Amino acid sequence: MSASDHPAVARLCEQELTLDRDAANVLSVVLQRPVIGMVAERGSRLIGACIGSVGERGGPMVSGPASPPGDLLDGYLDLLVVDRDEQGQGTGRRLVSAVEQELAARGCGRIRVGGHSPWYAWPGIDVRYTPAVCFAEGLGYRRGSCEVDMQVDLATAPLDTTAGVQRLRAVGIVVRRAGPADDGPLQDALAGPWPTTWATEVGAALRRPDGGVHIAQQNSRYVAFCAYGVNRPHEIGPIGTDPGLRHLGIGAIVLRHCLSEQRDRGLAIADIGWVGPVAFFSRAVAATISRAFWCYAKEIS
């Protein structure tokens, strides 16, 4: 795949990824890192594309939940799309095989179909894309965890924070929008307690015109944060609160500030990706589960 193929691949995504309301933008998300891209053509017409990337070393083995941690270098299948008129003829299988071979040549011993943070389109395969599920399992990929996205109706969600902000101020906690001066110190503060990719994601949200980060500080110490727009303007996350202060409800307040900003930018719906505490988001902003994804992996020789 070359840069000249990108417009055709984006059009194919828009045509075939019918469950994704921003399908035309999926390609731009996964191209934010170095990738291995393969395309299939019939004559001069592009009929399919597959994109993979190299990940990290040392996750759990695929053989079963009781297996010990391994030291395999992970590769990822970030995107596969095939024209519907060409499906069932081996195009997808050939594309995936070519990307797998390239990943193996770069030292990958395991291939994952799941969210490759921080630049990923989905946490896995949407369970409603039945042909994709059957395809992955037919290629020997083993199903792992199930991850969910949640959705927030910005017109009806409880987003007022007036009382909460005043309550936090009384105990020395200030909530505000992060600015350029936070770019660097905030990421440094995230380096210990949270996943390593979150600092990168927060940095991206800080710098993007259609993104943002809201934070809470106590005596200049960052105690909570929420970002939006890391990969898409309507997405929320990551979000985190100092474990010792979670009882104060700080997370809900920085979350509502981000959602309010998205609403004021003209968005009707916000998506919380790869959700951990479902109950928290349901209680805080009336979020509902909107999508479910299966993650897959297989070891390769």
Side-chain angles (χ1 to χ4, degrees), residues 150-174:
M150 299 185 80
Q151 200 168 79
V152 182
D153 184 338
L154 297 177
T156 61
L159 301 183
D160 181 71
T161 61
T162 304
V165 167
Q166 292 175 349
R167 174 173 50 81
L168 292 178
R169 189 178 294 122
V171 293
I173 297 174
V174 175

Side-chain angles (χ1 to χ4, degrees), residues 78-97:
D78 299 311
L79 174 67
L80 173 66
V81 59
V82 176
D83 188 297
R84 68 192 65 181
D85 294 330
E86 301 287 341
Q87 293 175 13
Q89 301 180 49
T91 300
R93 188 175 290 266
R94 288 189 289 272
L95 284 166
V96 169
S97 177

Side-chain angles (χ1 to χ4, degrees), residues 273-291:
W274 209 332
V275 172
V278 171
F280 165 75
F281 292 105
S282 174
R283 181 176 62 252
V285 292
T288 56
I289 294 174
S290 54
R291 302 184 71 174

Side-chain angles (χ1 to χ4, degrees), residues 176-187 206 213-215 222:
R176 62 176 176 85
R177 193 183 200 278
D182 298 294
D183 193 354
L186 177 56
Q187 292 94 308
L206 277 168
V213 181
H214 285 261
I215 58 173
Y222 297 102

